[in-house]
PDB file of all heavy atoms in Angstrom:
ATOM      1  N   ILE Q1492     -17.691  71.764   5.935  1.00  0.00           N
ATOM      2  CA  ILE Q1492     -17.271  71.380   4.585  1.00  0.00           C
ATOM      3  C   ILE Q1492     -17.747  72.420   3.570  1.00  0.00           C
ATOM      4  O   ILE Q1492     -17.007  72.792   2.655  1.00  0.00           O
ATOM      5  CB  ILE Q1492     -17.802  69.975   4.221  1.00  0.00           C
ATOM      6  CG1 ILE Q1492     -17.171  68.916   5.120  1.00  0.00           C
ATOM      7  CG2 ILE Q1492     -17.562  69.647   2.762  1.00  0.00           C
ATOM      8  CD1 ILE Q1492     -15.685  68.760   4.961  1.00  0.00           C
ATOM      9  N   LEU Q1499     -18.073  75.135  -4.850  1.00  0.00           N
ATOM     10  CA  LEU Q1499     -18.580  73.973  -5.570  1.00  0.00           C
ATOM     11  C   LEU Q1499     -20.097  73.915  -5.542  1.00  0.00           C
ATOM     12  O   LEU Q1499     -20.765  74.697  -4.861  1.00  0.00           O
ATOM     13  CB  LEU Q1499     -18.001  72.684  -4.975  1.00  0.00           C
ATOM     14  CG  LEU Q1499     -16.488  72.529  -5.088  1.00  0.00           C
ATOM     15  CD1 LEU Q1499     -16.042  71.276  -4.382  1.00  0.00           C
ATOM     16  CD2 LEU Q1499     -16.066  72.494  -6.544  1.00  0.00           C
ATOM     17  N   ASN Q1500     -20.640  72.985  -6.259  1.00  0.00           N
ATOM     18  CA  ASN Q1500     -22.072  72.760  -6.334  1.00  0.00           C
ATOM     19  C   ASN Q1500     -22.635  72.459  -4.943  1.00  0.00           C
ATOM     20  O   ASN Q1500     -22.042  71.710  -4.178  1.00  0.00           O
ATOM     21  CB  ASN Q1500     -22.331  71.591  -7.287  1.00  0.00           C
ATOM     22  CG  ASN Q1500     -23.785  71.375  -7.555  1.00  0.00           C
ATOM     23  OD1 ASN Q1500     -24.655  72.020  -6.978  1.00  0.00           O
ATOM     24  ND2 ASN Q1500     -24.067  70.451  -8.448  1.00  0.00           N
ATOM     25  N   LYS Q1501     -23.794  73.028  -4.611  1.00  0.00           N
ATOM     26  CA  LYS Q1501     -24.391  72.826  -3.290  1.00  0.00           C
ATOM     27  C   LYS Q1501     -24.734  71.366  -3.038  1.00  0.00           C
ATOM     28  O   LYS Q1501     -24.565  70.865  -1.931  1.00  0.00           O
ATOM     29  CB  LYS Q1501     -25.632  73.700  -3.129  1.00  0.00           C
ATOM     30  CG  LYS Q1501     -26.255  73.604  -1.759  1.00  0.00           C
ATOM     31  CD  LYS Q1501     -27.299  74.656  -1.579  1.00  0.00           C
ATOM     32  CE  LYS Q1501     -28.085  74.558  -0.316  1.00  0.00           C
ATOM     33  NZ  LYS Q1501     -27.432  74.175   0.870  1.00  0.00           N
ATOM     34  N   ASN Q1502     -25.208  70.653  -4.060  1.00  0.00           N
ATOM     35  CA  ASN Q1502     -25.531  69.231  -3.889  1.00  0.00           C
ATOM     36  C   ASN Q1502     -24.295  68.420  -3.532  1.00  0.00           C
ATOM     37  O   ASN Q1502     -24.349  67.501  -2.730  1.00  0.00           O
ATOM     38  CB  ASN Q1502     -26.174  68.667  -5.154  1.00  0.00           C
ATOM     39  CG  ASN Q1502     -27.548  69.253  -5.392  1.00  0.00           C
ATOM     40  OD1 ASN Q1502     -28.235  69.646  -4.452  1.00  0.00           O
ATOM     41  ND2 ASN Q1502     -27.940  69.335  -6.647  1.00  0.00           N
ATOM     42  N   LEU Q1503     -23.162  68.766  -4.140  1.00  0.00           N
ATOM     43  CA  LEU Q1503     -21.919  68.065  -3.851  1.00  0.00           C
ATOM     44  C   LEU Q1503     -21.475  68.311  -2.412  1.00  0.00           C
ATOM     45  O   LEU Q1503     -21.027  67.390  -1.730  1.00  0.00           O
ATOM     46  CB  LEU Q1503     -20.820  68.493  -4.828  1.00  0.00           C
ATOM     47  CG  LEU Q1503     -19.472  67.825  -4.656  1.00  0.00           C
ATOM     48  CD1 LEU Q1503     -19.588  66.334  -4.913  1.00  0.00           C
ATOM     49  CD2 LEU Q1503     -18.456  68.448  -5.586  1.00  0.00           C
ATOM     50  N   THR Q1504     -21.630  69.547  -1.937  1.00  0.00           N
ATOM     51  CA  THR Q1504     -21.210  69.848  -0.566  1.00  0.00           C
ATOM     52  C   THR Q1504     -22.164  69.252   0.466  1.00  0.00           C
ATOM     53  O   THR Q1504     -21.804  69.144   1.627  1.00  0.00           O
ATOM     54  CB  THR Q1504     -21.088  71.371  -0.342  1.00  0.00           C
ATOM     55  OG1 THR Q1504     -22.325  72.000  -0.664  1.00  0.00           O
ATOM     56  CG2 THR Q1504     -19.963  71.936  -1.173  1.00  0.00           C
ATOM     57  N   GLU Q1505     -23.367  68.852   0.061  1.00  0.00           N
ATOM     58  CA  GLU Q1505     -24.262  68.150   0.977  1.00  0.00           C
ATOM     59  C   GLU Q1505     -23.945  66.652   1.034  1.00  0.00           C
ATOM     60  O   GLU Q1505     -24.116  66.019   2.066  1.00  0.00           O
ATOM     61  CB  GLU Q1505     -25.719  68.354   0.556  1.00  0.00           C
ATOM     62  CG  GLU Q1505     -26.216  69.762   0.796  1.00  0.00           C
ATOM     63  CD  GLU Q1505     -27.622  69.965   0.295  1.00  0.00           C
ATOM     64  OE1 GLU Q1505     -28.226  69.002  -0.216  1.00  0.00           O
ATOM     65  OE2 GLU Q1505     -28.113  71.096   0.406  1.00  0.00           O
ATOM     66  N   VAL Q1506     -23.494  66.085  -0.066  1.00  0.00           N
ATOM     67  CA  VAL Q1506     -23.215  64.659  -0.130  1.00  0.00           C
ATOM     68  C   VAL Q1506     -21.805  64.339   0.371  1.00  0.00           C
ATOM     69  O   VAL Q1506     -21.588  63.302   1.005  1.00  0.00           O
ATOM     70  CB  VAL Q1506     -23.412  64.144  -1.580  1.00  0.00           C
ATOM     71  CG1 VAL Q1506     -22.931  62.723  -1.731  1.00  0.00           C
ATOM     72  CG2 VAL Q1506     -24.856  64.274  -1.981  1.00  0.00           C
ATOM     73  N   PHE Q1507     -20.850  65.217   0.117  1.00  0.00           N
ATOM     74  CA  PHE Q1507     -19.460  64.973   0.456  1.00  0.00           C
ATOM     75  C   PHE Q1507     -19.238  64.673   1.943  1.00  0.00           C
ATOM     76  O   PHE Q1507     -18.522  63.721   2.268  1.00  0.00           O
ATOM     77  CB  PHE Q1507     -18.607  66.156  -0.007  1.00  0.00           C
ATOM     78  CG  PHE Q1507     -17.146  65.873  -0.013  1.00  0.00           C
ATOM     79  CD1 PHE Q1507     -16.606  64.931  -0.869  1.00  0.00           C
ATOM     80  CD2 PHE Q1507     -16.299  66.558   0.842  1.00  0.00           C
ATOM     81  CE1 PHE Q1507     -15.256  64.668  -0.875  1.00  0.00           C
ATOM     82  CE2 PHE Q1507     -14.956  66.304   0.845  1.00  0.00           C
ATOM     83  CZ  PHE Q1507     -14.426  65.358  -0.017  1.00  0.00           C
ATOM     84  N   PRO Q1508     -19.840  65.427   2.879  1.00  0.00           N
ATOM     85  CA  PRO Q1508     -19.668  65.076   4.301  1.00  0.00           C
ATOM     86  C   PRO Q1508     -20.222  63.701   4.653  1.00  0.00           C
ATOM     87  O   PRO Q1508     -19.645  62.988   5.480  1.00  0.00           O
ATOM     88  CB  PRO Q1508     -20.423  66.169   5.054  1.00  0.00           C
ATOM     89  CG  PRO Q1508     -20.551  67.278   4.106  1.00  0.00           C
ATOM     90  CD  PRO Q1508     -20.559  66.691   2.741  1.00  0.00           C
ATOM     91  N   LEU Q1510     -20.305  61.108   2.637  1.00  0.00           N
ATOM     92  CA  LEU Q1510     -19.324  60.147   2.134  1.00  0.00           C
ATOM     93  C   LEU Q1510     -18.126  60.039   3.065  1.00  0.00           C
ATOM     94  O   LEU Q1510     -17.610  58.943   3.298  1.00  0.00           O
ATOM     95  CB  LEU Q1510     -18.870  60.539   0.728  1.00  0.00           C
ATOM     96  CG  LEU Q1510     -19.913  60.434  -0.375  1.00  0.00           C
ATOM     97  CD1 LEU Q1510     -19.344  60.947  -1.697  1.00  0.00           C
ATOM     98  CD2 LEU Q1510     -20.409  59.018  -0.514  1.00  0.00           C
TER      99      LEU Q1510
END
Side-chain angles (χ1 to χ4, degrees):
I1492 295 296
L1499 296 176
N1500 186 355
K1501 183 170 174 38
N1502 292 332
L1503 181 64
T1504 56
E1505 289 176 2
V1506 171
F1507 194 65
L1510 292 176

